Amino acid sequence: HANHTNMRMEQSHAHRTEEMDVERLLVRRGQPFSLALQCFTTLPPKHKLWILLDKWWFRQQGAQSEVLLTIHSPADAPVGLYSVTVLLLSPDGHILEKTTPDTFYLLFNPWCKADSVYLPDEELLEEYILNENGLLYQGSWDQISSLPWNFGQFEQDVVDICFEILDNSPAALTNPEMDTANRADPVYVSRTITAMVNANDDRGVVSGRWDGKYDDGVPPTRWTGSVPILRRWSEAGAQRVRYGQCWVFSGVACTVLRCLGIPTRPVTNYSSAHDTDGNLNVDYLYDEQLESVSEGRKDMIWNYHCWVESWMDREDLPKGYDGWQALDPTPQERSDGVYCCGPCPVKAVRDGDVGMKYDAAFVFSEVNADLVTWIVYPDGQRSQVSLNQNTVGQNISTKSVYGDYREDITKHYKYPEGSVKEREVYEKAGRRVTQPNGAPGQLELKIKHAQAILGTDFDVIVEVHNVGGEDTPAQLTVTSNAVTYNSLHRGECHRKTASLTVPAQKAHKEVLRLRYDHYGACVSEHNLIRVTALLQVSGQPEVILQEVNIQLSMPQLHVKVVGDAVVSRKLIAHISFTNPLPITLRGGVFTVEGAGLTAAREIQAPDDIGPGQEVKVKLSFKPTRAGLRKLMVDFDADRIRDVKGIATLIVRNK
């Protein structure tokens, strides 16, 4: 009868997937979509059409030689790849004919009220699902910097790779039926993604490394977006990509979750605690000479730490925990035996409900731990010599929905520091509210520094103020170390000890000159110097500790795009960089990428670049998609890394 070899699928604009660069149909669950069926003769009366899809229903409208089928998917159907076949049945139920199967992807649908990721705010969805560019915040709490990142969730093959990641999870490999059923649940899917973005236990995507040795891979600071990482993983047959650090893990997780249809945003916490022993304190240990003696897996405070938040209902928890959930793909501590973290309701962290799954106690300590300093004596005894209750967890940041500026979301994670409510939450979280010992001392310690530029010499001034009424003798130790953003030491630059007597109501100033020819050799790829000052009042047990992280500022890279920005028409980008260092740079390489503009490409700098010298390269590319687009550029050489530049352009259709 009807030879329907020609089955054409049409998808409606309503699914907001038209940006996605894929061969096959993409639809969002809980929302009808249409299939057009071409028939070469009209359908005989009393014959039935039947669609092979479970729990789904459809409506048909006939026209001369075309039948329009409108298919309705349940809002709690598992996401993934579906196959659809249309059958023609005779009045007595025999299969007369069937079409060749066609496949489509079903995604989460935050536009649909019945979906557990429903977010009723168009402006938020515009950012948290549809925006392919964003900012990841870095630096330190008092010097915040932003890194442009290309999420590229609608770039070619990305949606295929997202499902490939789910298919490679241990659960999918050992029990595929159960895994498929669980994919209806964003809690399950997001937790699987945080475990799979790091390669610690499984066939995960990115391998983390923090020790500065990246020669057998790509240095974490060189990436400008997620797509090259995802493609590299997939093309190598689910082989881990080297190397990532926290912002890379969160950038990749954000791409995957947005692509699957779960509203997601990257988040940065400053002075983020990494509490290894679960006591909700970060313990710094020093000997009597004030040399650090923290060994092995020590508690640390990271300058910043990035994770993501995803929006979803928590039907698995008591009422009140829906909304933003923290998910941390960076491998830090195991959760249920695996390196993953979350989803943890942000509200549970704020209210001190540390038993709430998943991993609320760990996230709670990241934003709330107390910093306790101890002196360890030769016999192994230790005494607590200082307590800092408001260092950890500051300026928690994400990119604003309204543009390229920072939104502070600290209040979602904690009540105001020192408020009654905050102390209550502490008690509830099972904290012993530690008391600083002794009366407040007479001496106060401050560290000041001018804006420090990589490649220059600069001064750090340590001030000891005596607010009391009598002259006070003390011992001051100041050290400066090249550190990574997550507090690994790469080398001591300087150490100075002084015995001093500070006159009543006066201040003593100690100046430390940090020279490039000294720190340049050991500075990490994050260009950070940490200055620690420890002051011990003679004859008193207590020690006053102050620490600053000095972010050496980096030069900018200039990116200028010339030409008319039109889809498929050639554009030229001129990229230039001036060497700010007093030494020659070798092995310079530019990395360029941009969603809808160009796949990632590398351009070698033509020569060595002398001190103060400028290097220029140009690149031609053809935009593939219209809209607001960003071209990201990174420059790396032997003695300078992570120099970034960006050009924004509006691409028109032909």
Side-chain angles (χ1 to χ4, degrees):
H1 292 299
N3 182 0
H4 337 156
T5 44
N6 183 355
M7 178 174 172
R8 196 174 83 252
M9 296 210 172
E10 290 175 354
Q11 73 169 298
S12 58
H13 171 77
H15 287 262
R16 297 176 175 81
T17 54
E18 62 274 1
E19 275 283 353
M20 286 208 184
D21 196 352
V22 271
E23 301 305 307
R24 52 167 77 89
L25 176 64
L26 277 163
V27 291
R28 297 189 185 278
R29 64 187 193 174
Q31 191 167 325
F33 62 98
S34 303
L35 305 181
L37 201 62
Q38 314 258 212
C39 319
F40 293 113
T41 57
T42 48
L43 285 179
K46 295 211 170 96
H47 284 55
K48 288 200 182 82
L49 284 176
W50 195 252
I51 288 190
L52 294 187
L53 269 172
D54 206 29
K55 275 206 201 118
W56 298 39
W57 55 281
F58 70 98
R59 207 179 62 233
Q60 71 184 70
Q61 284 168 297
Q64 221 60 83
S65 61
E66 192 169 71
V67 182
L68 195 65
L69 303 173
T70 303
I71 300 183
H72 297 256
S73 59
D76 58 357
V79 298
L81 185 61
Y82 284 76
S83 167
V84 57
T85 304
V86 180
L87 308 180
L88 178 64
L89 304 181
S90 64
D92 58 355
H94 282 80
I95 297 177
L96 298 175
E97 201 154 344
K98 59 181 189 191
T99 60
T100 46
D102 222 313
T103 55
F104 63 89
Y105 278 125
L106 189 74
L107 305 175
F108 289 104
N109 191 353
W111 283 271
C112 168
K113 245 196 187 71
D115 196 312
S116 47
V117 298
Y118 176 60
L119 179 57
D121 184 326
E122 194 58 49
E123 272 180 310
L124 298 192
L125 290 168
E126 198 64 42
E127 178 73 29
Y128 300 143
I129 293 284
L130 300 177
N131 196 350
E132 289 184 89
N133 294 296
L135 298 174
L136 306 179
Y137 287 96
Q138 297 180 319
S140 50
W141 70 272
D142 56 350
Q143 201 173 330
I144 294 175
S145 59
S146 65
L147 172 74
W149 191 262
N150 183 47
F151 295 116
Q153 65 270 28
F154 302 139
E155 290 284 275
Q156 199 173 354
D157 317 320
V158 170
V159 69
D160 302 283
I161 297 169
C162 292
F163 285 112
E164 201 183 322
I165 291 171
L166 289 172
D167 292 343
N168 273 282
S169 74
L173 297 171
T174 51
N175 190 339
E177 288 75 22
M178 201 157 108
D179 173 69
T180 300
N182 281 329
R183 285 190 199 178
D185 178 10
V187 173
Y188 175 85
V189 171
S190 62
R191 185 161 173 83
T192 303
I193 294 299
T194 69
M196 286 296 294
V197 164
N198 68 70
N200 278 45
D201 313 276
D202 42 46
R203 308 173 69 167
V205 181
V206 183
S207 189
R209 190 160 190 165
W210 283 266
D211 62 3
K213 301 183 176 75
Y214 311 122
D215 290 349
D216 56 346
V218 175
T221 49
R222 190 174 294 175
W223 302 111
T224 47
S226 311
V227 181
I229 296 173
L230 292 166
R231 286 194 182 141
R232 191 177 285 212
W233 174 81
S234 172
E235 284 158 13
Q239 286 294 307
R240 58 190 59 186
V241 177
R242 309 188 182 102
Y243 286 105
Q245 289 171 2
C246 72
W247 69 93
V248 180
F249 292 111
S250 66
V252 171
C254 185
T255 296
V256 174
L257 293 162
R258 280 185 186 179
C259 183
L260 294 173
I262 303 174
T264 301
R265 62 188 186 186
V267 167
T268 301
N269 176 36
Y270 288 93
S271 301
S272 189
H274 184 146
D275 168 27
T276 52
D277 53 9
N279 67 352
L280 301 183
N281 282 341
V282 168
D283 301 301
Y284 277 14
L285 310 177
Y286 293 92
D287 65 14
E288 290 174 288
Q289 281 65 54
L290 301 183
E291 295 265 7
S292 172
V293 291
S294 304
E295 304 260 291
R297 301 196 54 212
K298 57 177 193 277
D299 287 359
M300 295 194 287
I301 294 178
W302 294 23
N303 251 24
Y304 64 86
H305 180 45
C306 304
W307 56 80
V308 295
E309 288 177 359
S310 287
W311 180 272
M312 66 189 73
D313 287 345
R314 291 300 297 268
E315 284 141 30
D316 57 328
L317 296 181
K319 274 208 168 342
Y321 294 106
D322 298 343
W324 289 116
Q325 312 289 321
L327 288 149
D328 188 349
T330 298
Q332 295 189 83
E333 300 291 320
R334 290 181 188 275
S335 168
D336 294 343
V338 178
Y339 281 102
C340 63
C341 176
C344 162
V346 172
K347 198 171 169 309
V349 175
R350 191 186 64 187
D351 292 339
D353 301 328
V354 292
M356 227 21 93
K357 64 184 187 191
Y358 292 88
D359 311 302
F362 185 73
V363 181
F364 182 87
S365 75
E366 288 184 304
V367 300
N368 275 316
D370 284 350
L371 167 59
V372 186
T373 311
W374 305 83
I375 298 267
V376 181
Y377 298 101
D379 61 0
Q381 291 287 313
R382 49 163 86 177
S383 72
Q384 179 187 321
V385 290
S386 81
L387 169 73
N388 213 320
Q389 288 182 325
N390 42 21
T391 305
V392 168
Q394 309 197 51
N395 296 342
I396 304 174
S397 304
T398 187
K399 174 189 170 308
S400 164
V401 183
Y402 307 108
D404 284 349
Y405 48 90
R406 193 178 73 86
E407 182 188 340
D408 192 297
I409 53 172
T410 312
K411 62 180 184 304
H412 297 186
Y413 281 86
K414 50 208 277 194
Y415 289 101
E417 200 68 62
S419 65
V420 176
K421 194 79 179 137
E422 184 228 14
R423 288 290 108 182
E424 274 172 29
V425 165
Y426 249 44
E427 306 268 358
K428 179 168 163 190
R431 302 299 311 271
R432 48 173 203 286
V433 177
T434 29
Q435 289 307 326
N437 12 5
Q442 315 214 43
L443 298 187
E444 289 173 358
L445 192 55
K446 287 198 177 89
I447 306 177
K448 296 178 173 171
H449 65 92
Q451 172 69 40
I453 296 167
L454 182 67
T456 61
D457 301 348
F458 61 93
D459 288 339
V460 177
I461 298 158
V462 179
E463 296 182 355
V464 184
H465 291 266
N466 185 346
V467 294
E470 47 205 78
D471 299 359
T472 308
Q475 184 82 19
L476 175 68
T477 302
V478 184
T479 60
S480 68
N481 291 282
V483 292
T484 60
Y485 82 95
N486 61 334
S487 298
L488 300 179
H489 283 226
R490 289 280 173 79
E492 187 166 273
C493 307
H494 219 99
R495 186 181 187 91
K496 193 170 190 178
T497 42
S499 294
L500 38 115
T501 297
V502 193
Q505 300 294 322
K506 291 260 188 330
H508 172 89
K509 286 187 180 165
E510 202 64 52
V511 179
L512 227 72
R513 181 96 177 135
L514 290 176
R515 302 186 184 280
Y516 177 75
D517 56 18
H518 194 133
Y519 73 75
C522 62
V523 73
S524 77
E525 64 272 26
H526 306 113
N527 307 309
L528 275 171
I529 306 280
R530 173 170 294 176
V531 176
T532 308
L534 290 149
L535 183 71
Q536 195 159 20
V537 181
S538 305
Q540 301 265 321
E542 74 191 291
V543 168
I544 305 166
L545 170 108
Q546 281 292 344
E547 207 165 64
V548 294
N549 294 295
I550 301 172
Q551 178 79 60
L552 301 170
S553 64
M554 294 289 281
Q556 280 285 302
L557 202 79
H558 294 288
V559 189
K560 194 169 174 221
V561 176
V562 185
D564 208 7
V566 177
V567 171
S568 302
R569 191 178 294 172
K570 197 165 100 173
L571 285 173
I572 305 237
H574 294 273
I575 302 162
S576 63
F577 168 71
T578 304
N579 176 8
L581 303 184
I583 52 172
T584 297
L585 293 174
R586 299 189 164 80
V589 59
F590 293 90
T591 309
V592 186
E593 75 168 302
L597 295 175
T598 173
R601 294 159 61 179
E602 282 195 354
I603 307 165
Q604 304 296 325
D607 312 294
D608 291 352
I609 311 157
Q613 209 177 325
E614 185 182 45
V615 57
K616 292 180 176 171
V617 295
K618 61 181 191 196
L619 156 94
S620 71
F621 62 97
K622 288 179 180 164
T624 52
R625 292 184 283 134
L628 179 71
R629 302 284 161 205
K630 297 194 174 190
L631 189 69
M632 318 278 178
V633 187
D634 169 83
F635 176 76
D636 263 8
D638 59 347
R639 295 292 290 270
I640 194 167
R641 287 221 164 127
D642 202 16
V643 184
K644 303 284 187 209
I646 186 169
T648 303
L649 48 156
I650 292 170
V651 178
R652 295 180 293 112
N653 276 313
K654 278 195 246 205

